[in-house]
Amino acid sequence: MRIIFCVLISFLFHVLTINAQAFNSADCRTAVPICADSPIMSFANGGGAIVDFDPEIVLQSGCLEKGSNDSANIEHNSAWYVFRADKGGQIGFDIEAQTVHENSAPSAEWDFAVFGPNVDCGAISSGVAQPIRCNFKVNDTNFTGLGINPISGQVGAPSVSDSDNTYDEWLEVQPGEIYYIFINNYNTNFDGDPEPFKMTFTGSAVASDKNAALDCLFRDEFLGLDVSACVGGPDVLLTSLNSSAGSDIESVRWFVDYEDDGVVDETLTGSGPFGAELSIASPKSGRYFAEITTVSGSPATLSDEGGILVTFYSDPVLDRIDILNTNLSANPNQNDIEILVAGDSDYEYAINNGDFQDEAIFYDVAPGLNTIIVNDKNGCGITNSIEFLVVAYPKFFTPNGDGVHETWHILGIETLKNPTVKIFDRYGKLIAQLNTNSGWDGNFKGQPMPSSDYWFRLEYEEQKNSILVAQIRQSHFTLKR
């Protein structure tokens, strides 16, 4: 049987960060890979798309048993997660019930089971692999997990009959070991409404370095996140070896939609075992898919069929700098500029050796020479410090004989090559033409012009590789009397 699904990724370059709130899984075959870098905030809304547990076997599975509720489905309102230990030590977690509505009490009553190390999902679903940690007791503090209850201080102990301990013992893990975590909201098992929870990893390994306790690369390899890479950088390596088909893979074919428009543009041949790996050289951006042929003909269960979008970004290139007409102050030292970059990556900007900011607009930039640096936040390069010139102009002037703001002129025009400024009235009639040494006194042929808005057009010669000039070629100002 052939099925197209989201390829699972192991890559040699930068990947985008995962939002733990966005992912959940109803089944151990598509368990969500996680690491300890941040709490998991999610809903347990699994419905058991694939029945992991045989109805007869599950009655004998310790803390997973249905007990007297024969109609209960263990995978209703459930969630599956999987992690790989990145270093040895003590690992635990807190599962905290969250409220659905503000000022309301949590309605969920959480149970959990942990399988491992290195057990296969098939062994879990068949009942061969039994939980090594679990708990199904009532959580009076809204907490359950492995280790120590942070509210009551209750120390974890094996879950046995007639025990009210809601915490089980720490895991003592070794690097490379893989564990599955099953979470079930038993209290509202039948109503079909997902309930929120927060899971935070604990233990000595996490306390010493939470970013290294669990292998975050495993999360990216397994789930298949979109990839951000750089033109001219290392190849991106995609792999489907960790797919839900497991050892049942017979062969793999690859497809790519270069334009990401829903149309497959090319069929590709992979390398490695079964052709399960695909190396992508820059700059071949596109959405990549894998087609797996299984030995048994059984379908694979997939977490996402959207493929992986691989995007190669070039070094940032500054396009231009524009003057914005949002500041109506008469002070020519207050100018707002916008930085425009040729490219579609994520950038940050710094002017005059200041701090970087995400916003491409800077306010109150002084006229004269300034510098700009553009950094690609995807790690694909940073520009040198580029000089640019802000040529300022008053937003209004008042030629009334009081000696203040008597003429209108462009500040910094003397730094331009062969500049001319043409001033027009609101009907497009040419009123005055200025050069580097002159300003406009508000008169036309010796007669004072009325209070109104006037337009100007700045023209100057631009030389290749010269200083970049912030663009204000045409704008308007106000004459007040």
Side-chain angles (χ1 to χ4, degrees):
M1 177 177 291
R2 294 180 183 274
I3 42 175
I4 291 184
F5 72 106
C6 175
V7 288
L8 310 168
I9 180 168
S10 171
F11 55 90
L12 302 177
F13 212 86
H14 179 77
V15 296
L16 301 179
T17 13
I18 188 173
N19 183 343
Q21 291 181 309
F23 300 100
N24 198 352
S25 174
D27 196 272
C28 73
R29 292 173 176 83
T30 53
V32 175
I34 50 176
C35 60
D37 57 352
S38 62
I40 304 298
M41 301 287 291
S42 190
F43 287 80
N45 57 358
I50 292 180
V51 180
D52 284 328
F53 302 100
D54 182 274
E56 298 303 321
I57 295 176
V58 76
L59 290 173
Q60 306 168 31
S61 296
C63 68
L64 296 177
E65 64 186 356
K66 293 179 181 179
S68 60
N69 295 320
D70 292 335
S71 60
N73 181 344
I74 196 170
E75 289 190 304
H76 282 170
N77 292 340
S78 61
W80 282 92
Y81 297 96
V82 61
F83 71 85
R84 181 171 66 202
D86 197 29
K87 68 181 198 177
Q90 189 184 70
I91 295 289
F93 54 79
D94 298 324
I95 301 173
E96 180 184 3
Q98 304 290 294
T99 57
V100 178
H101 305 290
E102 188 176 359
N103 300 322
S104 65
S107 58
E109 203 284 297
W110 297 105
D111 299 335
F112 71 88
V114 179
F115 298 86
N118 303 324
V119 299
D120 182 76
C121 183
I124 296 174
S125 62
S126 67
V128 172
Q130 293 294 300
I132 59 172
R133 300 286 189 277
C134 61
N135 203 284
F136 60 98
K137 301 300 181 181
V138 176
N139 312 321
D140 293 334
T141 63
N142 294 324
F143 276 87
T144 188
L146 301 182
I148 301 175
N149 188 310
I151 301 300
S152 67
Q154 191 177 48
V155 179
S159 180
V160 296
S161 298
D162 301 323
S163 168
D164 292 329
N165 199 331
T166 61
Y167 268 70
D168 208 326
E169 297 176 302
W170 302 100
L171 289 172
E172 294 293 338
V173 304
Q174 296 299 319
E177 290 181 340
I178 296 175
Y179 294 84
Y180 285 86
I181 303 173
F182 169 78
I183 300 173
N184 176 251
N185 172 18
Y186 182 82
N187 196 45
T188 56
N189 186 271
F190 308 103
D191 62 13
D193 293 329
E195 298 282 344
F197 68 88
K198 179 171 75 171
M199 181 166 62
T200 306
F201 282 91
T202 60
S204 60
V206 177
S208 63
D209 188 350
K210 69 177 182 179
N211 293 316
L214 307 186
D215 189 353
C216 291
L217 287 180
F218 176 67
R219 178 184 63 187
D220 302 327
E221 293 167 5
F222 198 99
L223 190 61
L225 300 176
D226 291 343
V227 181
S228 173
C230 301
V231 172
D235 292 355
V236 171
L237 181 67
L238 305 184
T239 176
S240 59
L241 286 174
N242 291 331
S243 76
S244 52
S247 60
D248 199 25
I249 296 177
E250 179 180 275
S251 63
V252 180
R253 286 199 308 165
W254 297 85
F255 303 89
V256 59
D257 173 4
Y258 289 120
E259 302 299 325
D260 195 20
D261 57 3
V263 178
V264 172
D265 296 304
E266 190 176 356
T267 300
L268 307 171
T269 301
S271 60
F274 319 110
E277 296 179 338
L278 183 69
S279 182
I280 306 171
S282 73
K284 293 185 177 179
S285 299
R287 189 171 293 277
Y288 289 80
F289 302 84
E291 178 189 75
I292 288 185
T293 299
T294 58
V295 176
S296 64
S298 22
T301 300
L302 313 169
S303 59
D304 184 5
E305 296 184 357
I308 291 179
L309 183 62
V310 178
T311 305
F312 289 94
Y313 294 105
S314 302
D315 291 343
V317 176
L318 184 61
D319 180 15
R320 66 183 192 276
I321 300 175
D322 285 350
I323 293 287
L324 303 180
N325 293 316
T326 55
N327 193 323
L328 299 180
S329 169
N331 187 347
N333 292 321
Q334 294 181 341
N335 296 278
D336 304 338
I337 65 169
E338 181 176 14
I339 313 299
L340 293 101
V341 178
D344 58 357
S345 187
D346 293 325
Y347 305 106
E348 58 183 3
Y349 314 86
I351 66 170
N352 301 325
N353 297 317
D355 294 333
F356 280 99
Q357 66 177 46
D358 293 337
E359 177 64 47
I361 295 176
F362 289 83
Y363 299 94
D364 299 342
V365 179
L369 282 178
N370 296 268
T371 59
I372 178 70
I373 298 175
V374 182
N375 180 50
D376 182 354
K377 295 171 68 175
N378 285 309
C380 292
I382 186 170
T383 65
N384 294 323
S385 180
I386 302 171
E387 288 187 327
F388 68 95
L389 177 68
V390 171
V391 181
Y393 65 95
K395 307 314 188 279
F396 64 86
F397 76 117
T398 55
N400 54 14
D402 64 357
V404 180
H405 304 311
E406 290 292 337
T407 61
W408 183 92
H409 62 283
I410 291 184
L411 183 64
I413 192 173
E414 68 279 359
T415 61
L416 303 178
K417 183 177 181 180
N418 298 326
T420 60
V421 179
K422 295 179 180 180
I423 300 174
F424 306 86
D425 65 13
R426 58 188 299 183
Y427 303 105
K429 180 180 179 180
L430 180 63
I431 302 299
Q433 182 167 315
L434 314 178
N435 55 37
T436 56
N437 299 316
S438 61
W440 185 42
D441 60 5
N443 295 330
F444 176 62
K445 295 183 178 180
Q447 298 298 316
M449 295 298 291
S451 297
S452 182
D453 280 353
Y454 292 85
W455 289 84
F456 72 92
R457 184 170 68 242
L458 170 64
E459 298 174 350
Y460 56 91
E461 293 183 11
E462 292 182 288
Q463 294 179 341
K464 190 174 182 179
N465 299 324
S466 65
I467 295 173
L468 184 67
V469 179
Q471 304 300 300
I472 56 162
R473 289 189 173 87
Q474 184 168 298
S475 190
H476 62 92
F477 61 93
T478 300
L479 187 158
K480 295 182 179 182
R481 293 194 182 276

